[in-house]
Each structure stands twice: as C-alpha cells, then as structure tokens.
Amino acid sequence: MADKCTENYGADVFSEREIKRFLPKTVASKLLATMRQGKPLDPSIADAVASGMKDWAVGCGATHFTHWFQPLTGGTAERHDAFVEPTGPAMAVSRFSGKNLIGGETDASSFPSGGLRSTFEARGYTAWDPTSPAFLKRHENGATLCIPTAFCSFTGDALDMKTPLLRSIQAVSRATERLMKKFGQPKAHVEITLGAEQEYFLVDRRFYMKRPDLLQTGRTVFGAAPQKHQQLDDHYFGAIKPRILKFMTEVEERLWRLGIPAKTRHNEVAPAQFELAPMFESLNLAVDHNMMIMEVLKQTAERHGLVCLLHEKPFEGINGSGKHCNWSISYGGRNLLTPGDNPRENAIFITLLLAIIRAIEMHADILRMTTAGAGNDHRLGANEAPPAVISVFLGDELNAVLDAIERDVKGRVGAGRAPMKLGVDSLPPLPKDTTDRNRTSPFAFTGNKFEFRTPGSSQNCAQSQMVLNTIVAESIDALCDKLDAAKGGFNEKLQKLLRYEVRAHKRVIFSGDGYSDEWRKEAAKRGLPDLPDTPSALAPLKDSRNIGLFSKYGVLSETEMHSRWEIGIGDWRRRIRIEAGVALEIARSMIRPVVADEFSRLATAIGQARKDRLKVGVRGLTALSLKLGAGLDDLHLKCDRLERALSRDAPSAQISAMNDLRKTVDRLEQLVDDGKWPLPKYREMLFVY
Ligand code: ADP
Ligand code: MG
C-alpha cells in the first residue's frame, strides 16, 4: 500500500525537485542558490524561472497566479490573474513573465496602512520572496499558483508582516555571526527556527449558523458555562472522536501536499479544543506555513460540516487558544540553544542565553506589544494563559548555573548530572538535558529552544518573531561591544561580563506560578511592565527608546512603528464596537422577546390560577415570574446603557456595559424554557460534534 505520509508530500510546492525538472540547469542552480542564501533574484533569469514555474503550475491544473502576502490586518491577501493571454481572435496562450513573477502593483487603498499611504497614492507593491517557495492552492475546479511576496508602499514603507520579519532575520543573523567570530568559530550560515503550535476550536456548523455573535465576531458574547466543562480534564490528550479524526486527516493530507510538516495532533484542555503542531522550520517559511495552516484548518472544517474557530477566546469561562512560538538560532546547522558537548560550545550557549535574558528584561514591553489585540485581551492572565507580565523561565538546573556564575562558584552544578566544562575556567560545568517544565511562564526555556506562549491563536507569528529577533540582535551586539571594550584575556573578560549580565537582568527570571496573584504583586515590585490590555500593550510602539532600537537595526522606521500603533488601536476599537453592537442586537431582538413572552405567559397563568382558586402552583409561578420580570427590567436597563456607550465612542465603557449585560443574559438563560432559548448553548456547542 502507498505510504500516505510521503506519497504526495510537497506535491503542491515548486520544490527543488520541480525546479530541477522544469528549469534549464544553469537557471535552476542560480535560483536554488538564491533561495538558500536569501539573496535577491538575478533579473536575467527571471523570465526563464517564470516560464518553468508556469509550466509546472499549468501542468498541475492551475489557471491563475497570485502574489500572496500578509497585510497588517492579519490573515493573507491575494488577487488572482489568469495566465491566459489572447493571441488573436479565439486564440490564446498561457503566459507568465519574469516581470509578473518578481513584482506586482496592486490597488492597496483598502488595506490598512496606518497613515503610511495617502489615498491618492493608493498603489501597493508586491515583491517576490524567493526564500519561500511558490505553491499551489487547490480548489474543486483547479488551482492557483501562489507566489509568497512582501508588500510595501510607493515610498518603500512595509505594509505587511513579512518585510520587517525578513529585515529582523538579517539583523539577528549578523549579530550571531559577530558573536561566533568572537568565539573563534568559522563562518557559517545562521538560521532562525520556528515551530508554532496552533490551537483551535471546532463547532458544528449548524450551531454556528444560529449564533450571530460567533458569525460576526468569532466569539460568543453570551452563554452560561455548562455544569461540566473542563473540570475533569478528560478532554486533554483524550481519544480523538472519529469525525474529528476524519477532519484532521484531511487537514494533514492537504498540509503535507503543501510541504508543511504537520507532526502532532491532539485534544486540548477545553472541550472541542485541539492542537496541531508542525516540525520546526526556517522562520520565514514557518510563518508562511502557519498562515497556510490556519487557512487549511478553516476551509477543511467547512467541508466536514464544522467551523474552525481561531479566536483567542470563543467561550467565556473555558480555556482560550494560543499559538506557542518555539524559537531558536542555529549556526551551520547546529542549534545554539542546545547545551554543547565541549567547553567552547557551552560558553557560547551561556553567552547566548544571557543575551536573550537581557533582551527580554530590557525590552519586555515591545515584545508584549506583539501580542496585543481584542481577542488576546480575554486570554492573557485569565488563569489559563500566561499573564500579561513577560518573564523568563529557565528551570532549576539553569537557575543554579546562573547563580553559580553570579557568585563566581567553581565546580559541579546539578547533582547527579554529568557535568560539562565551559571554556572559561571559572565557569561552572553545565548540566545537560534541562527538561524542567513550567506551563505558566510566558517565555520558557524548554531544553533546546525558547517557547513564547503569549501570542494568540489568530495572530500572525511574524510580529512577535520580528521583535524577538531584533531585541536579541541588539543584546548580542551589546555583549560583543562590551567584550571589545574590556581589557584582559578572553576567558577572563567573558567571565566578568556574564557575571555582570546575570546581576543586571535576573529580575526577569521567574520560576514560580505565573498564574498566581502573588506573582503580579511580585512583578510590580521588581518593576516589570504589566500591560494588561490592548491600548497599554500598544503604547511601547510610541516609546522613543523602542523607536531608536528598531530604526537602528533597520527593522521598522519611526513611521512604520507609528502606523502599526494606529492600525492596532483602530482594529481594537472596531472589534469592540462590533461586539458591543452584536450583543445589543442579540439582547434586544432575540433574547428580550423570548423573556417577555415567557413572562406574559406566566402572568396570564398566575391570573388564571388565582381566578380558579388553585391551591398549588401559584407560589412557584409567582416566584419564577418575579425572577423573570426582574431580569426583563434589568435587560432593558443594561441594553440602554450599552446603547449609550455605543453612541459615545468609548471602547472601555462598551466593554464594561457588554460584560454587565452578559451577566443578565446568562442568568436569564438558566430561567427561560430550554426549548425556547434562541441561541445554541455552550453544552451543545462544546460537546455535540
Ligand atoms: P512540547 O510539545 O513539549 O512543547 P515539542 O518537542 O513537541 O515540545 O516541540 C514543540 C514545538 O517546538 C514543535 O513545533 C517543534 O518542532 C518545535 N521545536 C523543536 N526544536 C526546535 C528548535 N530548535 N527551534 C524551533 N522550534 C523547535
Ligand atoms: Mg509546547
């Protein structure tokens, strides 16, 4: 039997194999070199590349091509052009030129630019990113050739997520090369790696269609928690139901065709919540692949009568969804965050580790910024996701190592472990295999990589990775500068430097329970920034220190940072407004009529019962009608309050009025006849699929 995993793996990618098949030999080798080294494409081969790429795509059933990019709205964007070109009356050929491949010009007036582009200069430009291979998006009637591109304005400002990401990869690669040179390492290729674990919910489409809130906002603005939800932890890693497995299998088949290394699948903590994790890949490619994963999840769900919810918090009181970003740096194919086999490698490991700790300690605010958003606001700090305070978890073993460095202790660390010598005499030996786990930390070292757990499930990981790369680049450079400036032998200088860095930045290290209230207090005492909501989390984009840093590394200019602030705050305001509007509409046009009906039915029944001088039942009916009547009055008042908040453009008033209204509606849900409640309930949506 055919091997289902490998049979069609990468079949929809213009891969090395296809490049060699469809391009002349010299062109193929030039293109492959470009792809590997991330260099700009030699324009003289563009026509040949385009022609071969088109032949491959057309042979696979493609009729159109598109420049595929990642605008600042989130999600991906595409505009299709057909290959067809008429050559005479009723005659045509398929054509795709080098010009079509390398760059495109598109009307960008409806993409947000945050003030970067005035409407009269509405053109946007897309440019091929050859480091991410072209691929095919299939549909029932054919396919579209997708060319991953960067997207910028006429003035060269980045209007997308990819451009700054690529700039940041360059920045951290340069800094890493510099560091490795200091350690006498031969020049080698730096690769930043990302493995993004994607969480999501699935609900039956029939329920979804009856929930205007899910349809319009991606989350439920009403809904009482069911009696049983996740208390028993019986969903996490449980047996996967056949219908879900069928869905997952199709998702994986599609992803494998796209060369996306989907590796693990499992039930998550909340009912109806799942996770898909690919093998890690080169960062830029991994980001593109995560965007494709989200799209494939959504589209495949539809084919199975399901809806995939990528919102960070679709159900109140139930765990939300995140996107854990596992990040590392490799040099010449060796993961630099793996404690090494020899003293030199260990010294490199510790130095890099401290550079990262320093980066997080000094720039936690701007890293937190990358996870801002209306959806993630519900999730962070809600006892299920990391708090909004960014701290670093290292584990006992590494904590002991840093402690020894700080106190200048010599000898073994980590009882019972095989000690490893660092290149610097007075550095303690380093324990291998540090596998401690702390699920409550936003930024955790997990043995050979850092896992950033704050990003939300719907967010493009390019944003957080771009910032992480840049702050780490700055930190590595700062350590290198200090080594350059210091006097004495290398080992001695390094030893001194590391000791200083531990002291200066250790306040960001935290090993305890990140979900606890004590930690918030402790973090405040340590002076770590606590940015609990979108407006406060976006503010660091306007901080001159951050602006200086990002322009120094050429990752984001001041105007680009400002535009991101504007887009972020605008998006947040609009989302809150839509949610508040939807809540008001549902409360008034769906909930209120049902409650009013039920109330008047009861009132009539009570009147009749009294008239008939019934001895029983009147008390029960009266008690219920009192509760319903009070609820109805409450509903009326709270709807009016929400309406007033909506008429003033005040998001925080809208949020509080919406939360308040929710309490009333959720109480009514438990009073009104189950058969008459107009919205599918949590216990249905979360358990019936
Ligand atoms: P866990 O499930 O405990 O979080 P896993 O070992 O399953 O840990 O890894 C989770 C993710 O981390 C996977 O996507 C994996 O590919 C990724 N990962 C592993 N090593 C690296 C690395 N060197 N760089 C980036 N990501 C990595
Ligand atoms: Mg993980």
Side-chain angles (χ1 to χ4, degrees):
M1 217 172 107
D3 176 346
K4 278 194 140 189
C5 292
T6 56
E7 185 178 25
N8 290 316
Y9 195 89
D12 291 344
V13 184
F14 193 52
S15 59
E16 187 167 333
R17 190 184 55 215
E18 304 306 323
I19 287 171
K20 285 182 178 153
R21 248 179 78 197
F22 281 87
L23 300 185
K25 216 168 174 180
T26 49
V27 176
S29 59
K30 265 192 188 169
L31 176 62
L32 289 169
T34 300
M35 291 170 74
R36 281 193 210 106
Q37 292 152 18
K39 286 196 184 134
L41 186 74
D42 174 357
S44 69
I45 64 164
D47 277 324
V49 173
S51 157
M53 196 187 273
K54 184 215 67 186
D55 289 345
W56 167 75
V58 169
C60 295
T63 51
H64 291 69
F65 71 92
T66 182
H67 280 194
W68 182 80
F69 59 98
Q70 299 165 22
L72 294 168
T73 29
T76 56
E78 46 193 75
R79 187 195 78 171
H80 298 187
D81 284 293
F83 289 122
V84 66
E85 228 172 84
T87 50
M91 285 192 297
V93 291
S94 292
R95 191 165 286 149
F96 183 52
S97 69
K99 219 173 117 236
N100 293 149
L101 168 66
I102 291 182
E105 185 184 320
T106 183
D107 176 13
S109 52
S110 291
F111 289 108
S113 74
L116 277 181
R117 171 186 21 73
S118 44
T119 24
F120 61 82
E121 188 41 86
R123 278 172 298 170
Y125 294 85
T126 50
W128 185 31
D129 161 26
T131 58
S132 181
F135 61 92
L136 290 174
K137 256 198 209 177
R138 292 187 180 276
H139 54 84
E140 307 256 315
N141 285 326
T144 308
L145 170 66
C146 297
I147 299 147
T149 51
F151 179 49
C152 62
S153 74
F154 178 67
T155 48
D157 292 313
L159 294 174
D160 69 346
M161 301 280 191
K162 189 188 267 285
T163 307
L165 179 74
L166 293 174
R167 294 172 182 161
S168 76
I169 291 173
Q170 209 168 56
V172 72
S173 298
R174 276 201 197 120
T176 306
E177 278 168 16
R178 183 176 170 202
L179 181 74
M180 297 310 275
K181 204 169 156 200
K182 289 248 164 310
F183 280 92
Q185 301 294 303
K187 207 170 150 56
H189 180 63
V190 179
E191 187 174 38
I192 313 302
T193 51
L194 168 70
E197 305 165 49
Q198 179 70 49
E199 292 181 336
Y200 59 94
F201 279 87
L202 290 172
V203 295
D204 192 293
R205 192 163 179 79
R206 284 166 301 178
F207 296 135
Y208 176 81
M209 296 309 282
K210 290 189 185 142
R211 296 278 325 203
D213 47 359
L214 272 186
L215 258 158
Q216 300 224 288
T217 73
R219 79 177 183 100
T220 54
V221 296
F222 301 124
Q227 296 312 317
K228 172 187 181 287
H229 41 96
Q230 60 190 55
Q231 309 96 318
L232 303 180
D233 275 337
D234 51 355
H235 190 253
Y236 192 52
F237 281 19
I240 304 171
K241 288 189 184 181
R243 181 180 182 195
I244 302 301
L245 212 45
K246 204 170 148 208
F247 155 82
M248 288 177 165
T249 310
E250 188 180 325
V251 166
E252 286 155 349
E253 244 166 62
R254 286 168 175 249
L255 294 179
W256 291 338
R257 284 192 74 93
L258 287 163
I260 300 173
K263 186 81 176 161
T264 51
R265 58 186 189 198
H266 62 80
N267 286 358
E268 257 302 329
V269 173
Q273 192 188 28
F274 308 92
E275 182 185 295
L276 182 156
M279 280 274 294
F280 69 93
E281 297 178 281
S282 194
L283 173 52
N284 178 38
L285 187 63
V287 167
D288 285 356
H289 281 175
N290 178 254
M291 299 308 286
M292 283 145 76
I293 287 173
M294 291 196 284
E295 193 175 314
V296 168
L297 282 171
K298 279 201 223 153
Q299 286 180 355
T300 311
E302 254 177 60
R303 296 165 42 85
H304 290 252
L306 296 161
V307 175
C308 173
L309 305 175
L310 292 171
H311 192 282
E312 281 76 16
K313 191 77 173 179
F315 303 101
E316 193 169 274
I318 309 289
N319 268 17
S321 301
K323 176 143 50 203
H324 295 175
C325 292
N326 295 272
W327 171 96
S328 192
I329 303 181
S330 85
Y331 189 75
R334 198 183 98 72
N335 182 354
L336 292 182
L337 286 177
T338 310
D341 290 326
N342 59 57
R344 183 113 305 216
E345 284 178 359
N346 289 329
I348 293 171
F349 168 78
I350 287 287
T351 309
L352 183 60
L353 191 77
L354 275 167
I356 296 167
I357 292 167
R358 178 189 176 281
I360 307 297
E361 195 268 332
M362 291 185 65
H363 307 293
D365 61 340
I366 193 79
L367 187 61
R368 163 71 180 99
M369 179 282 294
T370 64
T371 63
N376 222 16
D377 279 358
H378 292 281
R379 176 180 163 259
L380 298 184
N383 268 312
E384 48 158 288
V389 182
I390 307 281
S391 61
V392 177
F393 173 84
L394 295 176
D396 293 344
E397 309 254 3
L398 282 179
N399 283 342
V401 172
L402 295 200
D403 193 49
I405 290 173
E406 187 186 359
R407 290 186 296 117
D408 209 5
V409 176
K410 299 178 178 79
R412 290 171 72 104
V413 175
R417 303 264 179 177
M420 297 190 311
K421 284 248 172 251
L422 288 174
V424 190
D425 301 338
S426 45
L427 275 179
L430 195 59
K432 260 195 164 179
D433 184 29
T434 54
T435 48
D436 291 35
R437 286 290 153 112
N438 177 333
R439 293 277 162 206
T440 67
S441 172
F443 197 80
F445 183 71
T446 52
N448 59 0
K449 62 194 184 282
F450 274 99
E451 181 170 344
F452 187 34
R453 303 198 180 108
T454 314
S457 47
S458 71
Q459 294 177 323
N460 184 330
C461 18
Q463 186 93 324
S464 60
Q465 301 300 298
M466 172 268 293
V467 166
L468 187 57
N469 290 341
T470 311
I471 62 180
V472 169
E474 188 270 343
S475 223
I476 293 176
D477 274 340
L479 297 197
C480 290
D481 288 346
K482 286 185 192 179
L483 282 173
D484 285 345
K487 293 200 172 60
F490 182 75
N491 285 359
E492 192 190 325
K493 286 196 296 189
L494 183 66
Q495 173 73 24
K496 245 196 188 146
L497 174 69
L498 296 182
R499 199 160 77 230
Y500 173 85
E501 298 301 328
V502 175
R503 277 203 190 130
H505 307 292
K506 67 177 179 187
R507 67 171 182 156
V508 79
I509 299 169
F510 177 65
S511 311
D513 178 3
Y515 296 174
S516 67
D517 281 339
E518 293 83 71
W519 168 232
R520 264 191 102 167
K521 283 181 214 141
E522 166 69 18
K525 239 193 264 163
R526 295 191 192 181
L528 301 176
D530 184 357
L531 310 171
D533 55 16
T534 299
S536 61
L538 288 174
L541 278 167
K542 293 179 146 186
D543 186 317
S544 58
R545 206 175 65 117
N546 291 326
I547 293 170
L549 168 64
F550 280 80
S551 43
K552 177 179 165 203
Y553 280 88
V555 175
L556 287 174
S557 67
E558 178 164 8
T559 43
E560 285 170 335
M561 285 181 86
H562 186 81
S563 77
R564 274 145 185 86
W565 179 85
E566 248 179 40
I567 289 166
I569 208 82
D571 181 80
W572 175 74
R573 280 177 168 275
R574 280 187 290 274
R575 280 180 200 273
I576 301 297
R577 203 186 161 75
I578 293 169
E579 286 180 3
V582 168
L584 185 61
E585 192 182 318
I586 294 177
R588 281 190 172 155
S589 67
M590 293 174 80
I591 310 290
R592 195 167 56 180
V594 172
V595 181
D597 257 14
E598 187 115 332
F599 178 72
S600 54
R601 213 159 42 83
L602 276 177
T604 315
I606 293 168
Q608 192 60 45
R610 287 216 176 104
K611 226 161 95 195
D612 297 347
R613 294 172 189 283
L614 287 189
K615 294 241 169 358
V616 289
V618 177
R619 222 156 93 196
L621 285 175
T622 311
L624 181 56
S625 80
L626 282 175
K627 278 191 182 167
L628 273 176
L632 194 58
D633 290 346
D634 221 20
L635 193 65
H636 175 71
L637 284 175
K638 289 180 173 173
C639 282
D640 283 358
R641 187 181 151 210
L642 181 54
E643 188 171 33
R644 280 196 301 278
L646 269 164
S647 71
R648 294 182 296 126
D649 193 19
S652 46
Q654 289 160 10
I655 292 173
S656 109
M658 210 176 359
N659 292 342
D660 211 24
L661 174 61
R662 175 174 199 140
K663 282 187 204 135
T664 302
V665 172
D666 291 357
R667 230 180 354 248
L668 284 166
E669 183 186 317
Q670 285 161 330
L671 289 175
V672 170
D673 180 348
D674 185 56
K676 300 219 168 71
W677 192 252
L679 298 169
K681 295 185 173 181
Y682 274 26
R683 61 151 199 271
E684 299 168 295
M685 290 185 285
L686 290 167
F687 290 95
V688 185
Y689 57 83

